[in-house]
Amino acid sequence: MLEPFKEPIFVTKPLLPDIDELHKMLELIWESNQLSNNGAMVKQLERELSGYLGLDQLSVFSNGTVALQIACKALRLSGEVITTPFTFAATAHSLAWNNIKPVFCDIEEDTFNLNPDCIEALITQNTTAILPVHVFGNPCNVEKIQRIAEKYGLKVLYDAAHAFGVKVNGKPIASFGDASMFSFHATKIFHTIEGGALAFNDPYLKERADSLRNFGIRGTDYVMEPGTNGKLNEVQAAVGILLLPKVEAEIEKRKEITKQYGQLLGNVSGITVSKDMPGVTHNYPYFVIRIDKDKYGLSRDEVFDKLKEYNVISRKYFYPLCSNYQCYSDIPSASVSRLPVANKIADTVLALPLHGRMQADDVEKICDIIKGIMP
Ligand code: T4K
């Protein structure tokens, strides 16, 4: 019988800047007296992120959710938007906050992403856009989605919250679609404690989003439209500047851990591990397994509870589906019968701990526990 971990081992642990380096950055901010409102640190972070990600039109925001809400406004989305139910609450909520009706589309069994083959049947005269999510950093079928969008004159706004630094055949993930949102929450590979970014393919859209994040103000005497407050502050931008050079090493470490998990769990009956996709530069934000109760002997919920007894705090990302939230479940597209794959996946996935400070021994022990609890 294995002993539980002495301390809880969480699904992630945030990357932290060196405290002395942060102190030096704070001194610069204190000297400048500029704490917010598009100061030097925010501008530097935007420049460095644009360079790192290979994107020209990039702006940072106070969080990913507000960035997504602003993107909907900047793209003038309205009516209905087709999206995935297998995502974090923020995706569908950003539409609802813009008085847009989310129309839920089923997902692919292998990638957990929006299934492009199910999109066309959901398009009506009220549809203005598609909002797919690159779930767990795995790219959507960007080419098929683009073809459908062009055929019906729809915008494509990607929720790339998990996909920082991901590339498809060498192209940055945010070069696809009209706009993409990255989350810089503390639980993400690159973060600014709270924060987010939008990348656009049109400079006009960036200009509009920049004004929308600052109340719609366009000049000293001119407010163009009802904007909001979506500004990132200088201290958080400084955290981002210090973390950016650490991202590559973090991804490398996570890649090793992902490989180790794959080797140790790949042959366990009833457990499916995620695999790299051809042509994709991955960023390894989460390690997610699928559990088939008939073969493994325990359900996902039973594994979740058992792991907790060993101090392994896994997460049921993404359960419940957005389409099953009380606020959306009355929408016709949300019915369980229309989303068979998404409902099946949401009931069987489990995210295991994954971060750069995990040791090989930790991974081995978690895998031993998973094998040991198997009836
Ligand atoms: N779209 C998608 C697809 C998203 O996944 C998200 C966010 C968004 C949009 C919206 O972006 P933001 O507005 O958040 O920028 C977390 C995050 O809060 C959320 O950002 C993220 N997705 C979501 C998938 O996960 P919780 O409720 O699961 O987080 P929490 O607090 O349980 O944290 C998970 C574990 O991480 C904890 O057990 C311990 C560890 N942790 C967490 C924090 C915050 C730490 O060790 N230190 C920390 O400071 O939502």
Side-chain angles (χ1 to χ4, degrees), residues 65-332:
T65 307
V66 98
L68 212 47
Q69 289 167 0
I70 287 176
C72 292
K73 280 248 184 299
L75 289 161
R76 297 182 200 279
L77 307 188
S78 63
E80 297 174 4
V81 169
I82 296 169
T83 191
T84 169
F86 188 74
T87 179
F88 191 58
T91 315
H93 286 355
S94 302
L95 297 173
W97 272 61
N98 276 290
N99 289 321
I100 297 167
K101 180 172 161 187
V103 173
F104 296 108
C105 178
D106 211 358
I107 62 171
E108 296 173 327
E109 180 120 23
D110 48 351
T111 66
F112 311 154
N113 286 331
L114 199 64
N115 185 342
D117 295 336
C118 301
I119 295 176
E120 282 189 86
L122 297 168
I123 297 174
T124 71
Q125 56 189 21
N126 298 323
T127 312
T128 55
I130 308 168
L131 170 50
V133 181
H134 301 298
V135 179
F136 307 138
N138 292 323
C140 294
N141 191 331
V142 287
E143 276 162 21
K144 260 195 184 172
I145 290 171
Q146 194 55 38
R147 273 201 297 276
I148 296 167
E150 281 168 15
K151 183 169 164 194
Y152 293 92
L154 305 176
K155 302 277 188 217
V156 182
L157 167 58
Y158 280 107
D159 179 333
H162 305 167
F164 187 82
V166 170
K167 291 187 182 141
V168 181
N169 297 321
K171 287 180 78 177
I173 192 74
S175 61
F176 301 99
D178 295 281
S180 297
M181 177 280 281
F182 296 107
S183 166
F184 297 161
H185 182 258
T187 53
K188 301 294 184 291
I189 285 183
F190 168 79
H191 73 86
T192 53
I193 303 175
E194 291 276 356
L198 288 176
F200 294 103
N201 286 327
D202 174 350
Y204 164 75
L205 288 174
K206 172 180 158 55
E207 202 181 309
R208 199 145 178 250
D210 286 353
S211 142
L212 284 165
R213 79 177 167 185
N214 188 30
F215 314 100
I217 296 171
R218 281 290 180 124
T220 14
D221 302 326
Y222 182 42
V223 179
M224 195 172 86
E225 57 188 323
T228 186
N229 182 351
K231 291 169 277 125
L232 189 72
N233 66 53
E234 290 291 280
V235 175
Q236 287 177 251
V239 170
I241 291 166
L242 294 176
L243 289 183
L244 193 54
K246 293 176 180 271
V247 166
E248 286 294 317
E250 174 71 15
I251 293 176
E252 263 320 298
K253 190 79 212 301
R254 284 166 177 248
K255 184 178 178 177
E256 273 171 38
I257 296 167
T258 301
K259 198 169 151 201
Q260 192 190 354
Y261 265 133
Q263 282 163 350
L264 295 173
L265 295 178
N267 294 324
V268 178
S269 169
I271 294 206
T272 311
V273 297
S274 37
K275 294 206 172 65
D276 283 1
M277 295 162 73
V280 173
T281 309
H282 287 278
N283 66 346
Y284 307 98
Y286 297 93
F287 184 78
V288 177
I289 56 170
R290 275 189 67 191
I291 300 162
D292 177 343
K293 183 181 176 173
D294 291 339
K295 292 189 186 144
Y296 178 78
L298 294 176
S299 69
R300 185 275 313 275
D301 288 352
E302 287 166 328
V303 177
F304 174 85
D305 290 338
K306 287 250 179 225
L307 287 179
K308 217 188 235 173
E309 289 171 18
Y310 287 90
N311 242 342
V312 178
I313 315 299
S314 60
R315 294 303 296 257
K316 301 175 194 178
Y317 291 139
F318 286 105
Y319 174 87
L321 290 178
C322 294
S323 49
N324 292 335
Y325 298 172
Q326 205 184 351
C327 51
Y328 300 126
S329 60
D330 284 345
I331 298 174

